[in-house]
Amino acid sequence: MTNSRLTYREAVREALREALARDKRVFLMGEDVNRYGGAYACSLGLPAEFGDERVRDAPLSESAFVGAGIGAALGGMRPIVEIMTINFSLLALDQIVNSAATLRHMSGGQFSVPIVIRMATGAGRQLAAQHSHSLEGWYGHIPGIRVLAPATVADARRMLWPALEDPDPVIIMEHATLYNDEDELPADGDMSVDITKAATRRQGSDVTVIAHSACVKKALNAAEMLVGEGIDCEVIDLRILRPLDDETIIASVRKTHRAVVVDEAWRSGSLAAEISSRITEQAFYDLDAPVERVCGAEVPIPYPKHLEQAALPQPQSIAAAVRKAMRR
Amino acid sequence: MRNIADDRVHLTREHAVELLRQMTRVRRFEEKCAELYTQEKIRGFLHLYIGEEANAVGVISTLTGDEAIVATYREHGHALVRGLPMNEVMAEMFGKAVGSSRGRGGSMHIFSAHHRFFGGNAIVAGGLPLAVGLALADKMLGIERATCCFFGEGAAAEGEFHESLNLAALWHLPVLFVCENNFYAMGTALARSQSNPSISARAAVYGIASEAVDGMNVVDVEAAARRAVHAVRRGEGPRFIETKTYRFRAHSMFDPDLYREKAEIETWKKRDPMVLFADWALSAALLNLDDREAIEADVAQEIEAAVAFAEAADFEPVEDLMKDVVSPPSEYIR
C-alpha cells in the first residue's frame, strides 16, 4: 500500500470528494464554498467535479442555510453544511438546538436529521474576538447531536464518512490552525474510522493529559518536554466531544492516578469542567492529586500575537500543570 | 350577500360538505380542548386556532397527500385537516404514548412522518428554513411537488423569515408560504411591531409573487392557494399568500387578553368563517340544514371517541425517557 503526504486541508477536501462521489444525496452548502473555494480552501476544485448544485454557494444567512440543510436532510438528502467559523454558527443556533437536536425525540422517534455541519473553530491566527473562539463545549452540552473534533490529518480525512452515515446530526469542529498540518496517510484502503472512541496518542504511566483539537499537539509537546524530568505522560485525544468516551478517560486515570485537562475554551462551564467532574465522580479514589485544568484565559481573544498566545494553553503551561499534579 | 365562490374553485356539493366538515372538526375539537384544559387533562401551552379555520382548510384542500406541511405551535387544525387521526392528535394533547408524537410534544409539537407533517414548530419563523430545505431536497431529487409552510405575521419580524424568502426565491424552490395574519403576535399588534404592516408586500420585494386574501373566507383562501400551488408545482418558484384572519380566543390559555378591544373581537366574530361559509352554502342551495346537523353529529361522535381513546391510553413509561434522543446504536451521554 502506498502512502501519500497531505495536509489537514487536503484531507478535508479528499473526504468531501469521497462523500460526494459515493452518495448522490450528499451535497456541500455554505458561504463561499463554490466560487471562492471555501474560506479555508477546503472545497477548492470540487465544483468542477460535482457542479454548482452539489457544491452550493449560500448567501450570508446562517440560520436559513443551516435550517435548509436540516429540511433537506428530513427530505431525504445528506447535506454537509459548512459554517465559516464557529462564531458565525451562533446565528444558526436556533436551527441547530431547537430543530436538529430536538426533532427525533420531540416527534417520538419519527424523524432522523442526517445532517453534517462543519465549522472552523479556535484561535491562533490573529483573527481577534469574533473569529477565534472555542465554543465547541456549548455544542457538547446539547443532547441529540454528536460533536467531533479531528485533531489529526487522518481523522480529518476519515471522520466525515461515518458522520454522514450517522442518522443524527453531527457537528465537525475543524481547528483553524490545523489546516496546514501535514501527515502521511495510506493512499487507499479502508478509510472508515470509529467515531465513538477517544484515542490514546501517547502511552505513559505518570499522568493522563486529556485534550482535543489543536491542544493535542501542545499536550504532546509538553509530554516531550517532561521526558527529561522523568515524567511520563499519557496523552488522550478526545476526538468525540459528545458523547464523551468516559471509558477511555477513566481507564487511563485509573492507571496513572493523575489527570490534567487541557481546553482552549474558557474555564467557566467548560468541557474541561465536565471532564474534570466525571473523573472526580468515577475515579475519585484512584486519584493521587487533584485534577488540574489548563484553559483559555477568560477574555475575548485579542488581536496582537503576544496577547493571543498568552490567552491560550501552551506546552509550557500544560507542563506546569503536569508538574503541579506530580507535586514537582 | 356576495357570492364568495366567484373564482375558479369548483364548488360541488361534495366539496362544500367537505370544507364545512373540516372547519367544524377543527372548531369543535378545539372547543373540547379548551374544556379539557380547564379540567387539567391538557396542560402546558394551548394555542387555539378558533376563528382561523378557513386558512388551514382552504390551503390544505389544495395539497396532495405527499406535499410536506410545516406549521407552527397553533397547528391542531393543520394536523387534523392534513389527515392525522383525531384520536392520535387528542392523545398527544393528553401526553399519551399513542399520541402523534408519542405524547412528547403536546399541543405545540404534533408530527407525523407518515403524513409528511413536519410540526409543530414553536419558534416563531423557525419552520421557514425547514420548508426551504424540504423543497430543496425535492428539487435536487427531481420530485415535482410543493412544500407548504404556515406561519403567523409575527414571523415577518424575524430574520429567519427574510433569510428564508431570499433563499427560496434565489434558488427558485417549490415552497408555498402561507402567512396567517391574525394581526397580533401574542399581545403585540401588527402596527406596534412592524414598520410595513403589509406582509405580502414585504414578500414581494424578494421577487416572490404574493397576494393577500380574506382569511375568513374559505373559498377565497382555497382559490388563492390553488392558483399559487399550481404555479409552485409548475416550477415557477415560491409563492406567498397572506391571509387576513383573526383568532377569537386569547393567545394561549394563560392570556387574559388585555390588549384587544372587546368591540374589535366582536366585529371579527361577525365574520366567523364557519358561519359565513355555511350560510352562503345554504343560500346557494349547495347544502341544506340536514347536512349541517349531520356534520355536527358526526363530528361530535368523532370527538367523543377521541377523548375516550385519549383517556383510556397509557402514558409512555418513564423508562423510555431517554429513548430516541439519538438513534438506537449510539450511546446516550451520562
Side-chain angles (χ1 to χ4, degrees):
Chain A
M1 191 183 289
T2 57
N3 277 7
S4 66
R5 190 156 187 88
L6 73 170
T7 63
Y8 188 99
R9 170 183 293 104
E10 289 162 344
V12 171
R13 189 183 304 145
E14 285 311 306
L16 290 168
R17 179 176 282 125
E18 178 199 14
L20 286 158
R22 273 176 87 163
D23 188 338
K24 290 271 178 237
R25 299 170 303 174
V26 170
F27 67 102
L28 174 68
M29 169 164 63
E31 291 155 358
D32 281 317
V33 298
N34 182 305
R35 290 290 184 94
Y36 190 96
Y40 289 95
C42 290
S43 49
L44 207 62
L46 297 180
E49 275 178 72
F50 300 102
D52 294 347
E53 292 279 301
R54 297 186 66 206
V55 182
R56 182 177 284 265
D57 271 337
L60 281 72
S61 306
E62 284 80 1
S63 198
F65 72 72
V66 170
I70 296 165
L74 288 168
M77 300 297 284
R78 291 290 180 277
I80 303 167
V81 177
E82 176 174 314
I83 300 179
M84 214 177 266
T85 89
I86 198 166
N87 286 79
F88 305 170
S89 78
L90 305 187
L91 296 163
L93 266 184
D94 165 49
Q95 290 299 325
I96 298 170
V97 179
N98 288 318
S99 290
T102 59
L103 275 168
R104 175 185 288 278
H105 193 267
M106 182 168 69
S107 69
Q110 294 183 75
F111 295 106
S112 291
V113 184
I115 187 175
V116 172
I117 302 171
R118 298 173 37 244
M119 56 182 86
T121 179
R125 290 165 45 92
Q126 289 193 256
L127 299 178
Q130 294 180 340
H131 288 72
S132 302
H133 288 134
S134 290
L135 305 173
E136 53 269 24
W138 289 7
Y139 289 100
H141 182 65
I142 302 162
I145 57 179
R146 181 184 297 278
V147 183
L148 309 180
T152 63
V153 174
D155 273 350
R157 173 65 186 85
R158 293 172 177 166
M159 278 180 161
L160 181 65
W161 183 254
L164 283 163
E165 287 189 310
D166 190 321
D168 299 313
V170 178
I171 301 182
I172 302 181
M173 306 290 183
E174 297 165 7
H175 198 285
T177 62
L178 296 179
Y179 285 115
N180 291 329
D181 281 13
E182 282 188 38
D183 203 357
E184 294 266 329
L185 278 189
D188 42 32
D190 185 13
M191 286 290 171
S192 63
V193 74
D194 185 354
I195 56 164
T196 64
K197 302 300 283 181
T200 305
R201 300 294 183 198
R202 187 184 194 281
Q203 301 280 346
S205 55
D206 293 332
V207 56
T208 300
V209 181
I210 300 143
H212 71 272
S213 203
C215 285
V216 173
K217 270 197 306 188
K218 293 178 178 179
L220 289 167
N221 286 344
E224 291 312 311
M225 288 164 58
L226 292 162
V227 169
E229 299 173 34
I231 299 174
D232 188 18
C233 295
E234 179 144 303
V235 177
I236 291 179
D237 171 5
L238 286 173
R239 299 178 72 244
I240 322 302
L241 308 184
R242 183 181 185 97
L244 284 168
D245 173 15
D246 289 9
E247 204 183 326
T248 301
I249 298 167
I250 300 301
S252 175
V253 172
R254 291 217 164 102
K255 183 177 79 174
T256 64
H257 308 290
R258 292 177 177 85
V260 173
V261 190
V262 185
D263 186 351
E264 192 176 305
W266 298 307
R267 177 185 301 259
S268 304
S270 61
L271 198 59
E274 176 64 29
I275 292 163
S276 168
S277 176
R278 289 181 188 214
I279 292 169
T280 312
E281 285 166 349
Q282 297 175 52
F284 181 77
Y285 296 106
D286 293 286
L287 288 172
D288 285 347
V291 177
E292 294 292 329
R293 284 192 285 159
V294 184
C295 297
E298 303 222 356
V299 290
I301 297 293
Y303 158 68
K305 189 169 187 174
H306 69 294
L307 291 181
E308 181 181 44
Q309 291 303 318
L312 303 175
Q314 301 294 355
Q316 293 76 9
S317 54
I318 298 168
V322 170
R323 286 186 201 104
K324 196 174 166 205
M326 296 294 295
R327 299 204 182 91
R328 298 278 182 98
Chain B
M1 187 185 290
R2 177 173 84 86
N3 180 358
I4 61 171
D6 186 22
D7 52 45
R8 277 169 282 181
V9 177
H10 192 53
L11 262 180
T12 59
R13 173 184 149 73
E14 193 187 12
H15 188 50
V17 168
E18 182 59 12
L19 291 175
L20 184 61
R21 192 178 76 84
Q22 291 291 14
M23 286 195 285
T24 307
R25 287 177 78 227
V26 176
R27 173 71 55 92
R28 303 296 176 233
F29 174 87
E30 290 205 318
E31 287 169 348
K32 177 53 89 177
C33 286
E35 192 186 313
L36 292 163
Y37 197 91
T38 61
Q39 294 169 19
E40 303 192 0
K41 302 277 188 186
I42 299 174
R43 300 277 74 198
F45 279 132
L46 177 68
H47 304 96
L48 298 176
Y49 193 57
I50 291 173
E52 303 186 38
E53 297 90 343
N55 303 294
V57 173
V59 172
I60 296 171
S61 70
T62 72
L63 304 178
T64 61
D66 70 335
E67 287 180 316
I69 294 176
V70 179
T72 71
Y73 53 85
R74 199 183 300 284
E75 89 289 30
H76 315 140
H78 309 79
L80 290 172
V81 178
R82 166 38 67 102
L84 275 72
M86 191 184 284
N87 283 0
E88 291 171 20
V89 178
M90 186 62 89
E92 188 62 32
M93 310 296 286
F94 278 64
K96 298 294 182 74
V98 289
S100 38
S101 304
R102 215 191 284 166
R104 292 170 168 190
S107 159
M108 296 191 285
H109 303 298
I110 297 168
F111 288 91
S112 171
H114 176 68
H115 295 90
R116 298 199 83 230
F117 191 78
F118 293 91
N121 197 315
I123 307 299
V124 172
L128 279 90
L130 298 183
V132 168
L134 284 159
L136 175 62
D138 278 350
K139 187 168 183 181
M140 293 185 81
L141 294 166
I143 303 170
E144 289 178 0
R145 63 185 174 195
T147 291
C148 181
C149 184
F150 291 94
F151 48 91
E153 87 292 344
E158 293 279 4
E160 288 186 318
F161 170 91
H162 297 276
E163 291 187 15
S164 299
L165 261 55
N166 179 51
L167 214 53
L170 183 72
W171 291 346
H172 218 61
L173 299 177
V175 189
L176 173 59
F177 293 104
V178 181
C179 176
E180 299 173 322
N181 176 5
N182 68 16
F183 296 94
Y184 289 87
M186 202 162 118
T188 301
L190 183 55
R192 289 174 65 87
S193 60
Q194 308 214 10
S195 60
N196 179 353
S198 171
I199 312 296
S200 53
R202 294 162 77 185
V205 301
Y206 292 99
I208 300 176
S210 72
E211 68 174 305
V213 297
D214 178 3
M216 306 310 262
N217 181 331
V218 69
V219 182
D220 277 2
V221 173
E222 185 185 330
R226 205 166 281 285
R227 285 192 294 275
V229 81
H230 286 164
V232 169
R233 285 183 199 137
R234 282 194 303 267
E236 294 176 18
R239 285 288 185 278
F240 192 101
I241 300 171
E242 174 190 359
T243 65
K244 302 205 178 200
T245 185
Y246 202 79
R247 60 173 159 73
F248 295 165
R249 301 288 182 101
H251 170 73
S252 75
M253 301 301 279
F254 296 163
D255 170 15
D257 213 346
L258 302 172
Y259 48 86
R260 304 192 295 189
E261 297 292 338
K262 291 240 175 337
E264 179 185 290
I265 301 171
E266 291 312 311
T267 304
W268 276 95
K269 280 186 175 173
K270 287 181 188 138
R271 302 201 64 247
D272 183 318
M274 261 177 72
V275 176
L276 203 67
F277 179 71
D279 286 353
W280 171 80
L282 284 174
S283 73
L286 269 174
L287 296 176
N288 57 47
L289 284 172
D290 289 346
D291 293 325
R292 285 185 74 171
E293 280 173 23
I295 288 170
E296 289 285 2
D298 285 352
V299 167
Q301 214 169 23
E302 188 184 9
I303 289 168
E304 197 182 333
V307 174
F309 177 82
E311 290 270 17
D314 293 325
F315 289 106
E316 183 174 21
V318 173
E319 298 74 55
D320 286 356
L321 173 66
M322 301 301 288
K323 198 174 164 190
D324 286 320
V325 174
V326 290
S327 55
S330 307
E331 288 181 359
Y332 304 128
I333 196 161
R334 282 170 51 92

